Amino acid sequence: MSSQVQLFHCLPVPAGSKDNVFELQSLRMVLLHNIIIRGFNSLIYYSGEVEPNTPKYKSFLAYAGEMIHYVHHHHANEEDKYFPFLETKMGKGSMSDNVNGHESFKAPFAAFENLHSKLRSGEAQWDLAAFRQAIYDFMPVLREHLEEEIDTFRPWQLKGIFTAEELLKFEVEMDKHVMAQLSLVKDPQCMFINGDSAPHGAWFPPIPPPIAFVVRQVLWHVHSDWWQFGSCDKYMKVKPQFAPYEPVMENKEAPAS
């Protein structure tokens, strides 16, 4: 039954280099957004393989909680840090369409979050169809938003407004902000199991190799029962059932000036 459900395609990956700070912005955002898409694809798929009141069921719901947290964390970082920074040079309100995009799926996402909370507490009984439908109620709108938002961060949108030095300075500030919130027993793991391996994004998340080793070989075991439900293994190799939904390279050029 799991193989017959509707899943969602990842976003195409823009051409460009992570070493070019202008190209990095849209490239990294696509990789972050595809983690969301893979994560909810995996929830849809693996929901058909759990039975209530079992250890696997409890682990599955814990993993679902991590995906809910990831969405909130990602959008909070955008609204609290990234969008205000961009508006300093692009103009107040220039990010309003992106914020409105967050609002567009807020109600159905909250309904899914409420269902998830009730399932974890035992207040609600497991209903596979209802669980999947709760995701389908927000996922098409969320995916549309994730795709539309990328145009905000295109290199041709940023060049001529920001200097490379300004972007690089903000990169340092944002890295500090993200690292201050990081849980080494949850966050890298969640990104690895829904990440984008070569050729698209093997460099992301940009965790130093010694720390990545500790995360995969030591800290992984803290919640290893959660990470079995991802779209990829710990080395970001996509599982066969999710391979048809993997991204292609985008063929999009800068608009003619």
Side-chain angles (χ1 to χ4, degrees), residues 49-66 116 119-122 126 223 225-226 228-229:
E49 298 189 2
V50 297
E51 296 293 337
N53 304 316
T54 64
K56 187 174 182 179
Y57 172 74
K58 293 179 180 179
S59 299
F60 174 77
L61 291 180
Y63 168 62
E66 288 306 302
H116 170 263
L119 289 169
R120 292 197 78 176
S121 69
W126 177 250
H223 297 298
D225 54 317
W226 301 2
Q228 64 182 303
F229 299 109

Side-chain angles (χ1 to χ4, degrees), residues 2-192:
S2 296
S3 61
Q4 299 174 354
V5 296
Q6 175 194 354
L7 300 181
F8 297 86
H9 286 276
C10 289
L11 306 183
V13 178
S17 169
K18 66 180 179 62
D19 298 318
N20 180 311
V21 72
F22 291 101
E23 295 173 349
L24 170 65
Q25 306 305 310
S26 58
L27 175 59
R28 178 178 54 205
M29 193 63 73
V30 164
L31 298 179
L32 286 165
H33 286 183
N34 280 343
I35 289 171
I36 295 174
I37 295 171
R38 290 191 190 92
F40 284 100
N41 275 349
S42 67
L43 289 178
I44 293 168
Y45 183 90
Y46 283 113
S47 60
E49 298 189 2
V50 297
E51 296 293 337
N53 304 316
T54 64
K56 187 174 182 179
Y57 172 74
K58 293 179 180 179
S59 299
F60 174 77
L61 291 180
Y63 168 62
E66 288 306 302
M67 286 312 308
I68 291 169
H69 169 75
Y70 180 91
V71 173
H72 284 306
H73 181 258
H74 175 68
H75 287 151
N77 280 341
E78 288 183 327
E79 294 186 16
D80 295 344
K81 299 292 289 186
Y82 194 42
F83 294 169
F85 165 71
L86 294 177
E87 287 194 345
T88 62
K89 299 292 287 287
M90 300 178 79
K92 185 174 177 60
S94 58
M95 296 292 111
S96 59
D97 284 348
N98 291 343
V99 176
N100 290 339
H102 295 175
E103 293 295 318
S104 66
F105 64 89
K106 186 175 182 178
F109 189 78
F112 171 71
E113 190 170 4
N114 184 54
L115 172 62
H116 170 263
S117 178
K118 289 182 176 180
L119 289 169
R120 292 197 78 176
S121 69
E123 184 179 349
Q125 298 299 309
W126 177 250
D127 182 323
L128 173 60
F131 182 86
R132 285 177 169 169
Q133 187 57 52
I135 297 177
Y136 290 140
D137 285 344
F138 70 81
M139 193 61 199
V141 180
L142 171 56
R143 191 200 176 281
E144 181 180 15
H145 158 70
L146 295 176
E147 185 164 29
E148 289 178 346
E149 191 177 75
I150 299 305
D151 281 342
T152 310
F153 318 118
R154 299 289 184 181
W156 54 84
Q157 296 281 18
L158 302 175
K159 289 179 179 178
I161 299 177
F162 291 95
T163 65
E165 289 74 19
E166 288 170 330
L167 290 177
L168 289 168
K169 180 182 178 182
F170 179 74
E171 288 289 314
V172 173
E173 295 173 2
M174 193 65 182
D175 283 348
K176 290 180 180 178
H177 177 75
V178 171
M179 290 302 296
Q181 305 171 66
L182 186 70
S183 167
L184 284 175
V185 299
K186 295 180 180 179
D187 296 331
Q189 293 85 343
C190 196
M191 299 177 82
F192 285 153

Side-chain angles (χ1 to χ4, degrees), residues 31 35 38 190-197 201 204-205 232 236-238 246:
L31 298 179
I35 289 171
R38 290 191 190 92
C190 196
M191 299 177 82
F192 285 153
I193 62 170
N194 291 304
D196 198 333
S197 61
F204 189 83
C232 308
M236 300 193 298
K237 181 180 179 181
V238 67
E246 283 297 281

